């Protein structure tokens, strides 16, 4: 592991999703030294796992490519992957951070040729596909991974498989002796860009995510559309592989609910509206494929209203104003049957669909208060902007459920705040 | 009782929501409902009554006083608590339904034919008379509620259970003529009278 030099004029960014990358780049491009810490083997965060993103419906790869190019040419950013913050102490302008880095067993010499992967047969659950698929135990996290460096899963280290992988590597990049490391860093300011995670759908008992195969979450649905995803880009049912032509979307799955997350996750309405366009993309304009959105109210924030209007005009999409009460399963067909009463007329329905997509809520990915007690959060655990926070600044979805556009704005704001702190320190030291 | 109803109408004019908030047990929760429909879809009795809870709450807000108070819905509630468990806003729906039933009853405007309500009244009359439930009278009252022939049919159908209850001392065969009371049933009368007095005073009934 290369030495990481960090002083109290360094800005540490925790989390390498779109927000963390943005904050790190903005600060570094202003001439500050930055250490970017990411717990996964690659940067990219959850945006990399989306098939397309609204409002323009482009693939996430293009934004990622620009950021990666900016990263590569900037010597001021040191990126640590497979690294997690263990503890933080100190105060604004003088923080000490303990970071644990897990071994990758592959060093910088890796050319991403993939020979190690071809050499092994063992497989592991693939977290990039929310464990819906398997990947080789010697793997590149995803095509656009950064760094472009393979990973050897610890399960094959010390086995014959591990040795096979090592032998296959012609540039000597595999080092099975690598060990976990503890890295101590100094920092003047810390940007928390730790993002969000999907709410545990199994907790929503009446929807049977843990019992019915044809009930999936919105994040899984994104992966299904990806040609490199678990279903090779096909919208098929997990139970029998049949095409899912009648898809129900259930809004506020786990959000706005005192039994689950009390906040509105804000993005899931737009995510569903976007996902209805996948049906036409997959089955064509002329198909009988249809989407039904069950909702309390649609929250397409500000300029997304236009997107909403467009989806409303789509004849394949219908809207039912009702929070589904519960789902049952038709045993013979595996079809989920949605039960409820609609608010416009109080009609009782028992609606059968091929597949149900839960527009799952977003919650903070880490319990930030467990890492450091100094940070003020709202009732849902999102980091707030607060004088009391010293030089801790939240960026992106660690502060709120945000779309990419707003996450990036929030990250730039956080970078500016952190820059102000380290500028004060360098001025004080110069005086 | 009719006078109480008129007094309430005069007092709250068209603001039925306020009337519910101030008079019905847990009524101040009604405005918290966001009309999602989960309670309505979760109720096992839902298909069999006039208005699901979601609709009742909207009707209260819309000032549909007569329709709400005369609805059979709150009498159909079996207290299964499915709605309370699932309501995203944690409204105590079951309690509100019972609160509404009680209020409508005390105002004398509750649903007339609903069998649950009639049975509830029968049970109340029975148990407050002697301070002890007279199973024979209650059962027969229930069976014959819908006419003589129906009563005979139901009694025959329930014969086995009746004999079982008799054998275990749960059913007094002479109940129809004498019936066992409890000691000091006069004191029970006094207690109930006092309780009514307090409730009437607090809630402005009978005034
Ligand atoms: C179903 C769905 C669809 C969506 N579709 C769209 C869309 O079409 N358009 C759009 O604009 N937005 C969309 N979003 C929102 C989008 O995903 C977020 O705006 C975006 O992910 C925010 O990025 P972020 O960097 O703040 O967080 P994240 O993407 O969550 O990144 C956080 C990063 O921090 C890392 N991390 C976490 N904890 C630690 C730790 N302790 N130490 C080190 N690293 C850590 C994580 O591994 C991750 O890489 C969608 C959301 C959902 C739920
Ligand atoms: S954005 Fe829409 S689906 Fe998501 S919690 Fe808010 S209202 Fe519900
Ligand atoms: S479940 Fe709760 S919030 Fe939803 S309609 Fe019923 S009472 Fe209202």
């Amino acid at each position: 592991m290369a030495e990481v030099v960090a002083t109290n004029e360094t800005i540490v960014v925790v989390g390498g999703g779109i927000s963390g990358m943005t904050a790190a780049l903005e600060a570094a491009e202003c001439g500050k030294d930055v250490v970017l810490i990411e717990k996964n083997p690659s940067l990219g965060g959850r945006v990399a796992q989306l098939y397309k993103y609204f409002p323009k419906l482009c693939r996430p790869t293009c934004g990622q490519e620009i950021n990666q190019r900016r990263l590569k040419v900037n010597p001021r950013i040191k990126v640590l992957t497979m690294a997690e913050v263990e503890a933080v102490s100190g105060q604004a302008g003088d923080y000490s951070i303990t970071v644990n880095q897990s071994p990758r067993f592959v060093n910088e010499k890796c050319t991403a040729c993939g020979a190690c992967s071809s050499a092994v047969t063992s497989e592991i659950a693939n977290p990039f596909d929310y464990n819906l698929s398997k990947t080789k135990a010697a793997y590149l996290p995803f095509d656009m991974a950064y760094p472009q460096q393979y990973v050897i899963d610890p399960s094959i280290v010390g086995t014959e498989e591990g040795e096979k992988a090592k032998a296959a590597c012609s540039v000597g990049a595999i080092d099975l002796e690598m060990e976990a490391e503890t890295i101590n860093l100094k920092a003047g300011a810390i940007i928390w860009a730790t993002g969000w995670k999907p709410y545990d759908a199994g907790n929503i008992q009446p929807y049977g995510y843990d019992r019915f195969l044809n009930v999936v979450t919105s994040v899984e649905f994104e992966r299904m559309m990806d040609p490199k995803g678990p279903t090779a880009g096909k919208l098929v049912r997990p139970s029998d592989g049949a095409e899912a032509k009648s898809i129900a979307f259930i809004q506020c799955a786990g959000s706005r609910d005192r039994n689950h997350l009390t906040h509105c996750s804000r993005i899931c309405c737009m995510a569903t509206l976007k996902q209805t366009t996948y049906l036409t993309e997959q089955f064509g304009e002329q198909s009988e494929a249809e989407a039904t959105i069950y909702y309390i109210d649609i929250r397409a924030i500000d300029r997304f209203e236009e997107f909403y209007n467009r989806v409303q005009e789509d004849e394949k999409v219908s809207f039912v104003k009702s929070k589904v009460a519960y789902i049952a399963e038709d045993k013979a067909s595996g079809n989920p049957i949605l039960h409820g009463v609609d608010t416009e007329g109080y009609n009782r329905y028992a609606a059968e669909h091929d597949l149900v997509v839960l527009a799952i809520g977003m919650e903070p990915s880490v319990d930030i208060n467990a890492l450091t007690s100094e940070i003020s959060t709202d009732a849902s655990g999102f980091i707030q902007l607060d004088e009391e926070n010293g030089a801790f600044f939240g960026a992106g979805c660690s502060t709120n459920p945000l779309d990419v556009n707003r996450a990036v704005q929030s990250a730039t704001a956080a970078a500016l705040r952190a820059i102000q702190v380290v500028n004060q320190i360098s001025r004080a030291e110069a005086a | 009782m009719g006078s109480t109803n008129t007094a309430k109408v005069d007092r709250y004019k068209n603001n039925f929501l306020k009337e519910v908030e101030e008079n019905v047990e847990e009524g101040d929760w009604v405005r918290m409902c966001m009309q999602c429909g989960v309670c309505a879809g979760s109720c096992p009795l839902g298909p069999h009554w006039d208005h699901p809870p979601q609709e009742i709450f909207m009707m209260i807000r819309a000032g549909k006083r007569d329709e709400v108070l005369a609805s059979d819905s709150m009498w159909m509630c079996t207290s299964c608590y499915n709605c309370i468990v699932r309501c995203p806003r944690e409204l105590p729906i079951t309690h509100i339904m019972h609160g509404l039933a009680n209020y409508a009853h005390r105002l004398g405007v509750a649903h007339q034919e609903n069998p649950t309500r009639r049975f509830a009244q029968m049970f109340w009359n029975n148990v407050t008379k002697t301070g002890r439930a007279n199973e024979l009278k209650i059962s027969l009252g229930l069976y014959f509620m819908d006419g003589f022939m129906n009563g005979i049919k139901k009694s025959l159908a329930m014969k086995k259970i009746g004999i079982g209850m008799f054998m275990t001392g749960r059913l007094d065969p002479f109940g129809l003529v004498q019936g066992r009371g409890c000691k000091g049933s006069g004191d029970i009368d006094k207690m109930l009278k006092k309780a009514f007095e307090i409730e009437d005073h607090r809630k402005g009934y009978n005034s």
Side-chain angles (χ1 to χ4, degrees), chain B residues 104-116:
Chain B
H105 175 74
R106 294 298 305 271
L107 294 185
V109 294
H111 195 281
Q112 289 303 316
E113 297 86 47
N114 179 275
T116 326

Side-chain angles (χ1 to χ4, degrees), chain B residues 32-40 53-54 57 83 86-91 93:
Chain B
M32 288 302 292
C33 169
M34 64 169 162
Q35 289 294 299
C36 71
V38 159
C39 55
Q54 173 198 21
F57 299 154
C83 54
R86 289 183 188 161
C87 172
R89 292 272 176 100
E90 288 182 341
L91 265 77
I93 303 162

Side-chain angles (χ1 to χ4, degrees), chain A residues 202-280:
Chain A
N203 290 344
I204 315 170
Q205 188 273 339
Y207 291 166
Y209 172 78
D210 54 350
R211 305 189 294 283
F212 310 139
L213 283 172
N214 295 327
V215 176
V216 303
T217 66
S218 49
V219 290
E220 293 168 348
F221 194 67
E222 290 286 337
R223 296 308 308 138
M224 286 166 70
M225 276 301 283
D226 192 331
K228 294 266 176 118
T231 56
K234 295 272 172 286
L235 291 186
V236 291
R237 305 179 353 138
S239 70
D240 53 11
E243 282 184 336
K245 289 207 160 164
S246 161
I247 302 184
F249 293 89
I250 298 186
Q251 298 309 109
C252 305
S255 304
R256 300 173 69 190
D257 191 331
R258 298 187 69 81
N259 302 305
H260 305 287
L261 305 172
T262 52
H263 60 265
C264 163
S265 296
R266 256 216 214 115
I267 305 306
C268 15
C269 276
M270 274 307 293
T272 290
L273 294 175
K274 170 187 71 175
Q275 290 178 346
T276 62
T277 69
Y278 295 172
L279 267 80
T280 310

Side-chain angles (χ1 to χ4, degrees), chain B residues 123-141:
Chain B
F123 184 86
W124 175 260
N125 293 345
N126 178 297
V127 83
T128 52
K129 199 161 186 177
T130 61
R132 190 192 287 273
N134 184 321
E135 297 285 353
L136 190 60
K137 277 189 182 168
I138 293 180
S139 327
L140 292 179

